[in-house]
Amino acid sequence: MFRVRIESNAFAALRTTDRGLNRELGADPDAPTLPTPATEVDTLGQIPYDTAPWNRSSLGFRNRLEGWLSFGMHNQVHVWIGGDMAPATSPNDPVFYLNHCNVDRIWEAWLVDQGRYVPSQSESAQLAMHRLNDPMYSLISQPTTPAQMLDVSQFYTYDLLRSTA
């Protein structure tokens, strides 16, 4: 059995624990299924990347892949699995990493099809940390910019960018 060592309460405060992994597959009626290959095809066809007001209600690729407009593919997986995959401690669940790798693969496929998304530095301040030269901060490394992360081929590549189902 996979053991969970850190959990969060209803307010996302972390606390130590020692218990088995909890999942509630398909229990949330708002996410009765996982995304399908057809969902991926539809998501890859979304243009533009994002639109004003740059939030949960925005239309475009970003919310179809990540967001809450209905459920984006990323969030749909978190909600469908439920249990430990839902709260702030979702990295406790090994499926977390599969989900995030798949999101990255779909993002790369969209970039190959649509070109690089490069919001200009003059775009809304709501896009902070998404504009080309905005620093993104980390607790474990020096700040990096989106410009430094647009070509990940020096780190990894994908054998297959699209589902084959």
Side-chain angles (χ1 to χ4, degrees), residues 76-125:
Q76 185 177 354
V77 172
H78 278 276
V79 174
W80 186 85
I81 292 173
D84 287 312
M85 185 68 162
T89 54
S90 59
N92 279 326
D93 193 321
V95 172
F96 171 91
Y97 299 96
L98 297 173
N99 184 32
H100 283 249
C101 288
N102 191 47
V103 166
D104 188 67
R105 177 188 61 83
I106 295 167
W107 164 241
E108 183 65 20
W110 189 87
L111 289 172
V112 167
D113 287 347
Q114 305 302 327
R116 299 292 183 199
Y117 169 64
V118 183
S120 76
Q121 214 56 34
S122 64
E123 289 286 351
S124 166

Side-chain angles (χ1 to χ4, degrees), residues 141-162:
S141 66
Q142 294 297 317
T144 193
T145 67
Q148 293 170 302
M149 301 309 298
L150 285 176
D151 182 6
V152 295
S153 63
Q154 66 180 330
F155 305 110
Y156 59 88
T157 60
Y158 290 98
D159 292 341
L160 184 66
L161 290 179
R162 288 168 189 74

